[in-house]
Amino acid sequence: MSAVKTEGIFKLALIIAIVTFAIVSRNTLLITTVFSVSIFAIMFINRDDINIVHLCAGFIIIKVIERAIFIFAIEPGFSEVYTDETRSALWLNATIFTTHFIIDLALFYMVLLRAPFTRARLNAKNKPIDKVRLYKAEVAFASLFSVFMFVDLLALVENFIRHLDEIGFSMEVAQIFSGWNWVYYGYLDMKSMLTGCAFMLLWSMSTELSREQYHRQFELNA
């Protein structure tokens, strides 16, 4: 095995170890920090690749918007629910799951439209577009965000099913479905595992070993 591939495997193993620790810890701040550092690191490592730079910039913009929504809208708007555990969390959870779905949908389309956006930006500046690529990693990202959205919708539907009495159904009917909590209680673990997969795809862009696997161009229509 060549020294380059050995180094690539070592880097990938180290990245997996760091990401696994962050995910298993279930520490939101740690996960956010690792993800943010990862994005900026990937941008710096691949600063000569406009495709990856634009992809990472898209991640940063959408993630900043997501964090702003939670800090300035959701948390203040539902402050009483956050501080009083006796209050129903139906509409807080509905808002959270819906927000996550919208963000994941935005990420899905951002990834799919990244290559056309990059081409349009270069055309606007009268620069050559021969280096515009749609990487296999981006297609994998789109598929991954589809799974993210599916989990978000399952959690949202289950959230309402578990609280049917609060949206007009009788207590008898609500009692039948009150135990539906498979996605509700497993949501954090599911999203954590999917986030781990996103980390792996993101960091694959920094390794020569993974670059060999995805650095082929899909056919792009002019």
Side-chain angles (χ1 to χ4, degrees):
M1 185 179 294
S2 68
V4 173
K5 288 190 174 182
T6 300
E7 181 183 356
I9 292 175
F10 175 77
K11 287 170 62 179
L12 191 57
L14 180 61
I15 291 165
I16 291 174
I18 295 172
V19 170
T20 301
F21 174 76
I23 298 301
V24 171
S25 72
R26 301 182 69 177
N27 185 315
T28 304
L29 178 60
L30 178 59
I31 293 173
T32 301
T33 301
V34 172
F35 195 77
S36 300
V37 171
S38 297
I39 293 176
F40 283 107
I42 298 304
M43 285 186 71
F44 178 76
I45 293 170
N46 300 279
R47 56 190 178 278
D48 295 328
D49 189 329
I50 192 172
N51 302 285
I52 296 179
V53 170
H54 279 182
L55 179 66
C56 289
F59 278 128
I60 292 170
I61 293 171
I62 292 177
K63 283 300 180 180
V64 167
I65 293 173
E66 177 186 35
R67 198 69 208 126
I69 291 173
F70 275 92
I71 292 175
F72 299 111
I74 296 178
E75 292 178 9
F78 292 93
S79 58
E80 293 182 352
V81 180
Y82 278 107
T83 56
D84 187 352
E85 295 182 356
T86 64
R87 291 178 177 271
S88 172
L90 168 63
W91 297 110
L92 169 61
N93 290 332
T95 302
I96 290 174
F97 295 142
T98 301
T99 301
H100 280 307
F101 174 80
I102 293 172
I103 292 297
D104 292 332
L105 181 64
L107 287 168
F108 174 80
Y109 277 107
M110 183 275 292
V111 170
L112 288 185
L113 299 176
R114 198 279 312 158
F117 171 80
T118 300
R119 188 188 300 109
R121 288 283 295 173
L122 292 176
N123 277 328
K125 296 180 179 180
N126 294 318
K127 293 183 178 180
I129 61 172
D130 56 297
K131 292 185 178 180
V132 177
R133 301 286 187 273
L134 176 62
Y135 295 137
K136 289 183 178 179
E138 293 180 271
V139 177
F141 265 125
S143 300
L144 183 62
F145 290 131
S146 297
V147 180
F148 268 93
M149 288 186 286
F150 180 68
V151 173
D152 294 331
L153 286 178
L154 284 179
L156 179 61
V157 171
E158 189 178 274
N159 177 60
F160 283 112
I161 290 177
R162 293 175 69 248
H163 299 89
L164 290 176
D165 58 314
E166 296 184 45
I167 53 177
F169 288 84
S170 67
M171 286 298 297
E172 291 77 12
V173 174
Q175 190 65 33
I176 297 174
F177 300 100
S178 61
W180 283 37
N181 52 31
W182 306 293
V183 179
Y184 183 81
Y185 287 115
Y187 183 76
L188 180 58
D189 291 328
M190 292 178 187
K191 293 299 287 273
S192 294
M193 288 187 289
L194 292 173
T195 300
C197 294
F199 272 122
M200 293 301 101
L201 283 174
L202 185 63
W203 272 108
S204 72
M205 298 180 183
S206 69
T207 62
E208 291 296 329
L209 185 64
S210 294
R211 186 182 294 273
E212 291 177 4
Q213 298 173 358
Y214 78 78
H215 207 287
R216 296 189 179 88
Q217 180 181 4
F218 281 88
E219 290 297 325
L220 296 172
N221 295 324

